[in-house]
């Protein structure tokens, strides 16, 4: 998934899912299950305070045109494979944009505030069409039959959180090899800066390996912003190293939760942070953590 789309999806994924339990009295209660997605793991590594605002406080964030475009392009690409193979053309994809955008506006009315005039919206739809055009330079969808699309994957990590994510596409070759495909509506990272993107793909590979018993043969990131394809072949030793990395990140999150220490970590990315006005590094004051929010989100209690 694109970075922009991850935040939209994680609003659902990172909300602790309810596990129905039967009390002796017969009354059903909902117990939250702490969870971790790849983008929220990266949030914590980037800035623990941002992680707290998103996962513990669950503060709302204003919609962005980039996030909306990512959601729209992903939706059109998902729908494209519902068509007969011969009909999966660029014309079909671009012509679907207005109708799919109207459906998204019904589902997410807050997107309507993104554009003050119709010409702004029309220009923005044009940028979405350009991303679709780039996709058709990377793959020929008439020659593909995805095994699964928009696949929700979950794994209860022993003595850890529930790992959660949504995979854009799974392809399975006749010999059984599995390819994980993820669309990115931004530009590819500079050489040497691929670690964050590959963390997400390794995350998916690890969960699929543990839940399905098959390690994906290929992880493929398709950057529609500049037409770059990033490929990686995971190995089982790499997956074991990755598990240790995830456990280390979660241990850090639990330590921060127990100590109630969500200190900000400043970087150039702060200029794009929705919570900058609340950040003490920039003169802001974080709100009080809602009662019980840490326990619901992380599963541990702050020290007295």
């Amino acid at each position: 998934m694109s970075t922009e789309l991850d935040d939209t999806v994680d609003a659902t994924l990172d909300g602790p899912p309810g596990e129905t339990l039967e009390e002796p009295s017969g009354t059903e209660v909902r117990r939250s299950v702490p969870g971790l997605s790849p983008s929220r793991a990266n949030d914590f590594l980037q800035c623990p305070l941002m992680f707290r605002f998103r996962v513990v406080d669950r503060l709302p964030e204003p919609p962005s045109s980039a996030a909306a475009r990512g959601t729209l392009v992903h939706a059109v690409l998902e729908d494209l494979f519902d068509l007969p193979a011969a009909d999966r053309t660029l014309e079909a994809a671009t012509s679907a944009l207005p109708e799919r955008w109207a459906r998204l506006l019904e589902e997410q009315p807050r997107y309507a505030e993104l554009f003050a005039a119709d010409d702004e919206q029309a220009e923005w739809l044009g940028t979405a069409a350009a991303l679709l055009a780039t996709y058709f330079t990377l793959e020929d969808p008439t020659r593909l039959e995805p095994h699964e699309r928009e696949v929700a994957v979950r794994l209860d990590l022993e003595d850890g959180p529930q790992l959660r994510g949504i995979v854009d596409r799974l392809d399975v070759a006749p010999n059984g090899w599995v390819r994980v495909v993820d669309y990115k509506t931004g530009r590819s990272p500079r050489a040497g800066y691929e670690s964050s993107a590959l963390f997400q793909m390794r995350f998916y590979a690890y969960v699929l390996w543990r839940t399905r018993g098959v390690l994906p043969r290929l992880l493929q990131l398709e950057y529609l912003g500049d037409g770059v394809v990033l490929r990686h072949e995971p190995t089982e030793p790499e997956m074991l190293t990755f598990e240790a990395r995830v456990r280390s990140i979660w241990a850090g999150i639990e330590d921060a939760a127990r100590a109630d220490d969500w200190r900000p970590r400043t970087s150039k990315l702060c200029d794009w942070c929705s919570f900058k006005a609340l950040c003490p590094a920039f003169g802001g004051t974080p709100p009080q953590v809602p009662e019980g929010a840490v326990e619901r989100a992380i599963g541990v209690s702050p020290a007295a």
Side-chain angles (χ1 to χ4, degrees), residues 7-296:
D7 289 338
T8 301
V9 171
D10 284 339
T12 299
L13 281 180
D14 287 334
E19 178 184 353
T20 302
L21 303 174
E22 190 76 18
E23 291 290 291
S25 62
T27 302
E28 286 189 349
V29 296
R30 305 293 286 181
R31 176 178 296 174
S32 63
V33 179
L36 188 67
S37 68
S39 57
R40 292 296 83 91
N42 278 321
D43 280 350
F44 183 76
L45 296 175
Q46 178 184 323
C47 176
L49 184 60
M50 178 174 65
F51 174 91
R52 190 207 109 173
F53 287 153
R54 282 180 167 161
V55 176
V56 178
D57 301 78
R58 300 185 66 77
L59 297 181
E61 298 182 63
S64 74
S65 60
R69 181 172 54 225
T71 302
L72 175 60
V73 169
H74 277 74
V76 169
L77 289 176
E78 182 187 7
D79 293 347
L80 185 68
F81 287 99
D82 288 332
L83 299 175
D87 295 338
R88 299 170 194 162
T89 63
L90 175 58
E91 291 74 21
T94 53
S95 65
L97 281 170
E99 180 183 351
R100 202 60 173 86
W101 174 235
R103 287 167 57 187
L104 285 176
L105 284 174
E106 291 180 2
E107 298 165 4
Q108 299 283 345
R110 66 195 187 110
Y111 284 160
E113 63 190 69
L114 289 172
F115 308 106
D118 290 344
D119 58 341
E120 291 182 9
Q121 179 174 289
E123 182 179 354
W124 175 83
L125 283 172
T127 64
L131 294 175
L132 291 173
T134 300
Y135 167 75
F136 278 82
T137 69
L138 304 179
E139 290 188 316
D140 180 359
T142 66
R143 300 171 61 87
L144 296 170
E145 289 299 337
H147 184 68
E148 296 178 74
R149 290 167 284 149
E150 292 296 302
V151 188
V153 294
R154 297 179 186 271
L155 170 67
D156 291 314
L157 191 64
E158 186 177 358
D159 299 323
Q162 183 181 83
L163 305 183
R164 310 167 186 162
I166 294 183
V167 179
D168 286 344
R169 202 179 85 212
L170 287 180
D171 298 335
V172 179
N175 62 2
W177 286 357
V178 175
R179 177 173 65 175
V180 179
V181 179
D182 197 78
Y183 310 123
K184 298 290 186 185
T185 51
R187 300 178 65 85
S188 60
R190 289 180 296 164
Y193 290 85
E194 306 93 346
S195 59
S196 177
L198 287 178
F199 178 90
Q200 177 189 6
M201 299 302 280
R202 290 186 178 107
F203 188 104
Y204 295 154
Y206 175 77
V207 175
L208 289 166
W209 179 47
R210 288 302 195 195
T211 57
R212 302 192 181 193
V214 177
L215 180 63
R217 179 76 175 189
L218 183 66
L219 310 177
Q220 181 165 306
L221 284 157
E222 300 180 0
Y223 287 92
L224 309 187
D226 55 8
V228 171
V229 176
L230 180 62
R231 297 181 177 90
H232 179 72
E233 296 183 10
T235 65
E236 291 192 7
E238 178 185 350
M239 292 295 96
L240 297 176
T241 300
F242 179 82
E243 179 183 320
R245 174 64 168 155
V246 170
R247 290 187 182 280
S248 175
I249 293 170
W250 187 250
I253 292 171
E254 288 184 321
D255 288 346
R258 290 191 183 98
D260 192 24
D261 183 8
W262 306 98
R263 66 188 64 187
R265 183 175 296 130
T266 57
S267 70
K268 294 180 180 179
L269 297 175
C270 292
D271 289 338
W272 287 272
C273 181
S274 302
F275 310 113
K276 189 174 181 179
L278 298 174
C279 181
F282 298 94
T285 302
Q288 219 34 45
V289 176
E291 184 176 356
V294 173
E295 292 87 345
R296 286 192 295 272

